[in-house]
Amino acid sequence: ACDAARAAAAASAAALPEPLLAEVLGAFPADSRVVVRSSANVEDLAGLSGAGLYDSVYDVALGSTEALRGAIGVVWGSLYTRRAALARRAAGLPEASAWMAVLIQPLLAADTSFVLHTHDPTGRAADAVCAEVAVGLGETLACAANSGSAWRLLARKDGGGVDTLSFANFSEALRVDAARGVVTETVAYQDEPLTASAEARVTLGERLLGGGGGV
């Protein structure tokens, strides 16, 4: 059943109207590379985080509609993988309630990426934001298959400062290379400012607090 549903998703992507895809292409510069990202209504729930459960496709060239069609088909189809279906079943979510949307975003050559919790999930502070930060692209944080820890910064909304709760130790990072696209590199943490400098961690924590502290 899962294989048939994924095939149907790919077929639906192949049948997307050309004017619709042309409109998407027109929203970006002609030489853009993008991320086609999954956004399901059955993730980030109280009983199911869904981190890494659904697929996103990095480094999609927008030179033609075919690459975009293929990436959309992969994302739509990831709703129906066996592991996704089993995870939803374990969480008590009916299959008929599962829907997948697609976000198309510019591919940025990020030095670091972060997930920001506007309420501290660690329970250490009732009035704080908690940021998880990793080197390179955010897939390192979003994919549950990656083993390791992020820099975890706790920034108190009352001006009580920024605490470092953990240091990053993911062995590899995804980076954007102008010639090679998205590549996997080994992280040299001794050269990373967030490892060596408490000031850098405080500065970043305060910047993220400024962006999410009012939520």
Side-chain angles (χ1 to χ4, degrees):
C2 287
D3 288 343
R6 294 179 74 186
S12 295
L16 283 170
E18 196 71 22
L20 175 61
L21 293 178
E23 184 176 349
V24 173
L25 294 178
F28 299 91
D31 59 348
S32 290
R33 308 186 82 84
V34 299
V35 181
V36 180
R37 188 178 296 281
S38 59
S39 180
N41 68 333
V42 281
E43 58 185 331
D44 298 327
L45 305 177
L48 176 67
S49 74
L53 198 57
Y54 307 110
D55 293 339
S56 296
V57 183
Y58 280 79
D59 200 22
V60 179
L62 293 185
S64 74
T65 58
E66 291 312 304
L68 184 58
R69 286 182 190 277
I72 291 172
V74 169
V75 174
W76 276 351
S78 70
L79 187 67
Y80 306 108
T81 62
R82 185 172 185 273
R83 67 190 181 101
L86 290 175
R88 291 193 295 271
R89 180 187 300 175
L93 299 172
E95 280 300 299
S97 70
W99 297 88
M100 176 65 75
V102 174
L103 302 177
I104 301 174
Q105 303 169 322
L107 178 64
L108 303 179
D111 293 324
T112 55
S113 299
F114 65 89
V115 172
L116 184 66
H117 305 275
T118 55
H119 294 273
D120 173 29
T122 70
R124 292 172 180 260
D127 196 23
V129 300
C130 184
E132 296 178 90
V133 186
V135 175
L137 298 177
E139 188 69 7
T140 300
L141 293 168
C143 183
N146 294 328
S147 59
S149 299
W151 287 287
R152 187 171 285 119
L153 308 176
L154 186 71
R156 301 176 191 276
K157 297 179 183 180
D158 61 3
V162 177
D163 297 330
T164 300
L165 304 184
S166 66
F167 284 82
N169 63 7
F170 290 109
S171 59
E172 295 179 330
L174 293 175
R175 295 187 186 270
V176 177
D177 181 273
R180 297 178 293 160
V182 175
V183 296
T184 301
E185 295 183 349
T186 300
V187 181
Y189 281 103
Q190 69 274 15
D191 298 329
E192 293 295 330
L194 291 177
T195 295
S197 170
E199 181 180 356
R201 296 191 296 275
V202 169
T203 298
L204 178 59
E206 291 175 342
R207 288 181 63 189
L208 295 178
L209 175 62
V215 178

